[in-house]
Amino acid sequence: MHSERASLGLRIAAIGGLLFLHLPILLIFVYAFTTEQRGYTFPPPGLTTQWFAVAWNREDIWPPFWLSLKVASIATVIAIILGTLVAAAMARTRFFGREQISLLIILPIALPGIITGMSLRSAFAIMDVPFSLWTIILGHATFCIVIVYNNAVARFRRLSGGILEASADLGANSFQTFRYVLLPNLGSALLAGGMLAFALSFDEVIVTTFTAGSGVDAKTLPIWMLDELIRPRQLPVTNVVAIVVFAATFVPILLAYYLTRGGSETAGGGK
Amino acid sequence: MTAPAILPERGLADRLTALFWRKPNLLLILLIAPPLIWLGVIYLGSLAALLLQSFYSIDEFSGVVKEEFTLKTYAELLRPSNFDIILRTLVMSLAVTLACAVIAFPIAYYAARFARGRWKAVFYLGILLPLWSSYLVKVYAWKMILSKEGIISWAADATHTGFILNGVLALPVIGGNSLSTSYLGTFMVFVYVWLPYMILPMQAALERVPTTMLEASADLGATRAQTFRTVILPLALPGIIAGSIFTFSLTMGDYIIPRIIGTSARSIGMAVSEFQGTAGNLPLAAAFAVVPIVIMLIYLALAKRAGAFDAL
């Protein structure tokens, strides 16, 4: 019988690895309270909460925040629709060119972001497309499709074909089957995929630097942060923004986890 | 009974359903057309634009792009200074991928096999949250950690192990003035930032390893090490390869981490960014961008043969 308890070495390596992933993020919280504006002396020379108020009143933070939110939301919606469509087509049927399509879907994320960005930029230049909100979204949606696709196709594969046939036998048409059978079964997978896509888009900086114009109104939150990293002004303010982003992503992922937990537990436990 | 066995059609939706039933390929085409048009036209079209650009050249005197087919720009890639950039980036990507695989394995294995209930949740969120949090913030956090007056120096002083840190920094090539200006620093940040991308597909692959196989292996007299080598590792390999696609490709194309942390030596990503930006040499930037494309296409072809896409 295979031992059901992990060896001590494995446990230390696993928990150590997890700590390695989290301790640096913790430091962002610590430095948000430091009194030092231009350095990272550890331990911080003094503690203050003034940076939260300073960040709130900084007018250059809000427009990038709203822009990022808008871009990520629209890109996610596009990615959910296109990703689900392609997953539905790929999951059940074998057809000519299927392999090539699966490669095409993976390509935008398998190739470095700089290539996606550089390609889009040269295409925009050739076709004289002016930079706008939509050029940013175009780039983001392209690499978000694969994220939704991965989640959706896995769920499609696990779904028994019998329930679709049963639905048809009971007199439902394709649209009713989609609405009452397919969608409830796909829901949590799409939610999970959509959230990952949103996160990817919200954090994206490499593609965005190529597909956003140079104007102030084309600055997403990551580009704002990059500017702060290269030309620092008030370091703790950047930390405050980082905490806000962290909190804004923490809540949805926690919610999604509790929403999908039941499904994944039963699916895994049944094996 | 005289009722018909076939229900009457009740409108457009039913008629379409019947049509889809008779012609399943029509449904397939309708499903796949929008995403295919998006990816095919926008993405492949852009890649074609990039490729086209790489076969142009720049006039050395006027700095204007000459729109004629030439291989001159690709020849420039082989110049020692440019070729070094490519080699350096490849070595870094390889090192980062290997380190990620080694660090990720115990986390993924523990999460897949042993974590139950509350711990399962801790691991799930513990891997996803760093993945979610902003890329730039993570880079920024490491700038703080690695800086001369930062937490590592402080910890080394506090534990009187400063000599180890200095010894490591004194090493040729990977060392440097401080961690934040050395290859070692760049390497650490890459490993940290891409680690979750390796853990997730690895964990997915490991979760599909049936416990019965491990029991069978033990029943047949295999030691833990033998089971690991001959059962777990081969079954996890697609997951590892899937993860390595991310770590390798992301490292190769990144230009922000090496710009903010490390020596000022350029990577492929930085070269692309600089040649298309300040230098204004679009053809050379495009040629540089083609290098990772070729490498990743070879990589993907190999990964596909190993069945890695099922684990993505």
Side-chain angles (χ1 to χ4, degrees):
Chain A
M1 172 87 194
H2 184 75
S3 152
E4 266 312 299
R5 281 189 66 78
S7 66
L8 187 67
L10 177 64
R11 239 181 302 169
I12 291 172
I15 292 171
L18 218 52
L19 286 178
F20 170 66
L21 281 173
H22 285 269
L23 291 182
I25 296 177
L26 222 61
L27 213 60
I28 290 154
F29 285 78
V30 173
Y31 280 109
F33 295 97
T34 184
T35 48
E36 190 189 20
Q37 270 196 48
R38 320 209 142 264
Y40 316 108
T41 310
F42 193 90
L47 296 174
T48 170
T49 53
Q50 62 161 334
W51 302 115
F52 288 84
V54 173
W56 183 271
N57 291 322
R58 277 266 295 265
E59 276 169 11
D60 58 327
I61 293 173
W62 290 103
F65 176 78
W66 293 120
L67 182 67
S68 278
L69 210 60
K70 215 192 292 182
V71 167
S73 309
I74 300 173
T76 302
V77 170
I78 296 172
I80 286 180
I81 296 170
L82 295 180
T84 312
L85 284 175
V86 77
M90 302 282 284
R92 299 221 154 273
T93 37
R94 302 274 175 277
F95 54 87
F96 178 74
R98 190 174 178 278
E99 301 278 290
Q100 285 70 26
I101 292 175
S102 90
L103 185 68
L104 178 62
I105 299 164
I106 288 167
L107 219 50
I109 205 165
L111 291 177
I114 199 158
I115 291 167
T116 308
M118 180 75 198
S119 305
L120 287 168
R121 181 146 215 168
S122 39
F124 292 151
I126 286 171
M127 299 196 307
D128 281 326
V129 178
F131 292 117
S132 68
L133 171 72
W134 295 100
T135 53
I136 306 177
I137 291 171
L138 208 70
H140 284 204
T142 303
F143 61 71
C144 284
I145 293 174
V146 61
I147 305 290
V148 178
Y149 167 77
N150 283 337
N151 279 271
V153 85
R155 183 64 59 90
F156 266 118
R157 278 197 200 123
R158 215 192 302 151
L159 223 59
S160 136
I163 59 169
L164 302 183
E165 285 164 17
S167 169
D169 284 349
L170 292 168
N173 64 42
S174 301
F175 302 92
Q176 288 166 325
T177 303
F178 175 75
R179 169 69 186 83
Y180 295 106
V181 179
L182 213 48
L183 208 54
N185 274 298
L186 282 179
S188 54
L190 295 187
L191 190 67
M195 284 194 319
L196 286 176
F198 184 90
L200 201 67
S201 168
F202 201 83
D203 284 349
E204 216 309 311
V205 62
I206 290 185
V207 175
T208 318
T209 51
F210 289 89
T211 57
S214 48
V216 189
D217 54 332
K219 215 185 240 189
T220 61
L221 207 54
I223 292 186
W224 180 88
M225 282 188 181
L226 184 61
D227 285 352
E228 292 295 304
L229 272 178
I230 293 167
R231 285 176 293 275
R233 278 180 291 175
Q234 294 165 307
L235 293 175
V237 172
T238 314
N239 289 59
V240 172
V241 174
I243 291 174
V244 172
V245 173
F246 186 78
T249 53
F250 189 87
V251 176
I253 197 164
L254 217 59
L255 277 176
Y257 174 71
Y258 282 108
L259 281 173
T260 57
R261 189 177 51 157
S264 63
E265 283 281 343
T266 41
K271 279 188 181 171
Chain B
M1 295 294 274
T2 52
I6 297 168
L7 294 169
E9 288 183 349
R10 285 162 302 189
L12 182 65
D14 281 8
R15 278 205 295 281
L16 279 174
T17 305
L19 185 64
F20 292 155
W21 179 254
R22 283 195 300 272
K23 295 188 195 309
N25 280 337
L26 182 69
L27 178 64
L28 186 69
I29 289 166
L30 282 180
L31 285 175
I32 209 146
L36 216 54
I37 289 169
W38 184 286
L39 288 171
V41 173
I42 295 176
Y43 194 67
L44 289 185
S46 303
L47 280 178
L50 178 79
L51 208 60
L52 190 69
Q53 190 72 257
S54 71
F55 286 111
Y56 292 160
S57 66
I58 197 155
D59 190 287
E60 277 164 36
F61 298 105
S62 60
V64 177
V65 176
K66 278 194 291 191
E67 299 193 350
E68 303 163 7
F69 180 88
T70 173
L71 288 171
K72 212 178 94 192
T73 312
Y74 279 103
E76 264 187 66
L77 285 184
L78 298 174
R79 277 217 315 245
S81 62
N82 289 337
F83 200 68
D84 276 357
I85 295 176
I86 296 171
L87 278 184
R88 196 161 43 224
T89 310
L90 280 182
V91 170
M92 178 63 87
S93 305
L94 200 66
V96 169
T97 299
L98 288 176
C100 278
V102 170
I103 299 175
F105 195 87
I107 306 174
Y109 190 63
Y110 191 91
R113 183 145 306 277
F114 297 107
R116 290 281 169 270
R118 186 186 296 257
W119 276 104
K120 190 101 189 160
V122 168
F123 269 88
Y124 178 83
L125 292 171
I127 296 159
L128 280 194
L129 282 176
L131 185 75
W132 268 68
S133 52
S134 168
Y135 159 85
L136 275 175
V137 172
K138 286 184 278 191
V139 178
Y140 175 44
W142 278 87
K143 185 91 187 160
M144 301 169 180
I145 293 170
L146 298 177
S147 70
K148 250 196 154 111
E149 71 277 14
I151 192 166
I152 288 191
S153 309
W154 172 80
D157 284 345
T159 54
H160 303 289
T161 49
F163 64 93
I164 298 179
L165 183 63
N166 291 332
V168 170
L169 284 175
L171 290 173
V173 186
I174 62 164
N177 206 5
S178 76
L179 278 172
S180 64
T181 55
S182 66
Y183 280 124
L184 195 63
T186 319
F187 168 78
M188 286 163 80
V189 182
F190 271 135
V191 170
Y192 174 78
V193 171
W194 309 136
L195 188 59
Y197 291 86
M198 179 62 97
I199 300 175
L200 285 176
M202 221 183 220
Q203 188 187 340
L206 285 169
E207 248 158 25
R208 273 181 292 190
V209 178
T211 327
T212 46
M213 266 193 200
L214 305 183
E215 285 165 8
S217 172
D219 286 349
L220 292 169
T223 62
R224 270 169 178 255
Q226 280 173 320
T227 305
F228 174 77
R229 217 179 51 238
T230 57
V231 181
I232 299 173
L233 208 56
L235 288 171
L237 201 62
I240 300 173
I241 294 171
S244 74
I245 292 172
F246 291 114
T247 55
F248 198 84
S249 133
L250 289 166
T251 310
M252 226 177 1
D254 198 283
Y255 71 93
I256 287 170
I257 291 173
R259 185 157 131 200
I260 290 174
I261 293 154
T263 63
S264 47
R266 281 183 297 187
S267 66
I268 293 180
M270 283 163 86
V272 174
S273 163
E274 277 172 31
F275 282 123
Q276 70 91 31
T278 46
N281 191 343
L282 266 176
L284 189 54
F288 257 113
V290 170
V291 175
I293 297 182
V294 172
I295 292 169
M296 282 321 291
L297 283 178
I298 297 169
Y299 203 116
L300 283 171
L302 294 175
K304 208 166 170 52
R305 199 174 286 178
F309 290 143
D310 302 330
L312 266 179

